Amino acid sequence: MGYKLRRELREALGPDITGLQRAVALEIADDAHEQTRRSAVPLEKLVLWTGAKDASVVRNALKRLAAAGWEFRVPIGKGKDGRTLYAVPGQRMTFLVPHIEGVATATPYEDKGEQELPHGGATATPQTPEGGAGAHSEGATAHSEGATATPSSFSPSFRQHEGTPDSSPVDGIPDAARPLVDSMSASGVIVRWPFKGDQWFPVLALINKCGVPALVEYARRAADRNGGIDSARYFMRGWTELPPKPAEGTPVHIPRPHLRAVGGTPEERGIF
């Protein structure tokens, strides 16, 4: 996985790429192969990992990233109208993390002039395949609900102007993740929580989707089967495959014990 790519990208994106756009970019980088920089992560996974409303919101975040000079989508051809295609029926969208020149902040697509850089740093410029970083695509500048903001379900726990979760000044754990961390420890699953900053987004999305009890129960069973687990990252893949928590009011089925008739006379059954 592209842990190095993620670290490289989170510095290069700069302060202009925030909220859902930043989360989508970093999750693609995290999933990408370190050498090829390519990722085939499905949009459904990006929805889950970033806490987005749905796939259309993620697609719009990708278009807005492209408009800002950060094109992650890999073109697959041209449509009859000449527009670039990134996915067609039977062929889903894939991604390529742009190569970066420089080490400081990214220059947005709309900004054609020179920017004053802090401490004399260089400007990071993404390089993307077939058409360059600033190539426009259909809807590249369109606004959409949630495209530039943190998901509303997490609004009490996120600093929206920074696009990162609110966290304790002592241990760095977001307030919204505290119930999960505490329940895990109370259940005997004591592990490290190595997530930093926006790396908490996928964890918070899972809490919102599955609920704390389901995540803790899965982790407890996994820890019972496999000793020596020391990091919460171990559970992430399994957590993403859990079903969403049932809707409120869903009837609960409690299996009844199977009763078997006992034949014979009362004397034979010991009843006098």
Side-chain angles (χ1 to χ4, degrees), residues 35 75 128 134 139 141 155 158 169:
Q35 302 301 320
T128 54
T141 59
S155 57
F158 281 69

Side-chain angles (χ1 to χ4, degrees), residues 4-254:
K4 293 181 180 178
L5 292 179
R6 185 189 183 105
R7 289 195 293 270
E8 171 187 316
L9 190 62
R10 71 186 181 191
E11 295 182 3
L13 286 173
D16 296 315
I17 307 298
T18 61
L20 184 60
Q21 294 176 55
R22 189 178 191 90
V24 168
L26 292 177
E27 290 302 331
I28 291 173
D30 192 69
D31 182 78
H33 190 278
E34 291 282 4
Q35 302 301 320
T36 65
R37 308 176 76 91
R38 289 185 174 270
S39 168
V41 58
L43 287 179
E44 293 75 14
K45 287 290 187 182
L46 290 176
V47 170
L48 177 62
W49 294 346
T50 61
K53 180 181 177 181
D54 52 37
S56 65
V57 174
V58 172
R59 280 193 290 268
N60 275 284
L62 288 163
K63 292 174 184 178
R64 292 178 64 78
L65 280 167
W70 294 93
E71 179 61 271
F72 288 82
R73 302 166 298 175
V74 176
I76 59 175
K78 297 282 187 179
K80 293 181 179 180
D81 55 3
R83 287 180 294 184
T84 302
L85 298 177
Y86 301 97
V88 294
Q91 185 173 351
R92 70 187 185 192
M93 191 181 300
T94 59
F95 307 100
L96 178 67
V97 179
H99 289 273
I100 299 167
E101 293 180 355
V103 294
T105 58
T107 301
Y109 174 78
E110 293 83 2
D111 187 3
K112 300 297 184 179
E114 295 182 358
Q115 289 183 315
E116 183 178 353
L117 299 173
H119 308 297
T123 299
T125 304
Q127 295 180 335
T128 54
E130 297 187 29
H136 281 281
S137 61
E138 179 185 5
T141 59
H143 291 270
S144 67
E145 178 184 358
T148 58
T150 306
S152 59
S153 57
F154 299 141
S155 57
S157 302
F158 281 69
R159 297 190 185 97
Q160 296 205 12
H161 65 283
E162 294 180 0
T164 56
D166 282 336
S167 59
S168 164
V170 177
D171 53 23
I173 297 174
D175 296 338
R178 177 62 64 184
L180 174 62
V181 175
D182 291 346
S183 295
M184 292 267 285
S185 298
S187 300
V189 185
I190 302 174
V191 293
R192 295 181 297 108
W193 295 85
F195 310 103
K196 304 294 183 184
D198 51 31
Q199 293 178 356
W200 282 100
F201 274 101
V203 179
L204 298 179
L206 288 165
I207 292 173
N208 187 60
K209 173 200 170 191
C210 305
V212 168
L215 299 181
V216 173
E217 177 61 20
Y218 174 86
R220 188 186 59 78
R221 293 199 307 266
D224 288 344
R225 291 193 305 267
N226 306 285
I229 299 172
D230 71 339
S231 172
R233 287 191 188 277
Y234 177 89
F235 305 114
M236 290 298 292
R237 183 177 295 275
W239 279 344
T240 61
E241 296 175 355
L242 292 177
K245 55 188 174 185
E248 188 173 348
T250 301
V252 178
H253 172 68
I254 301 177

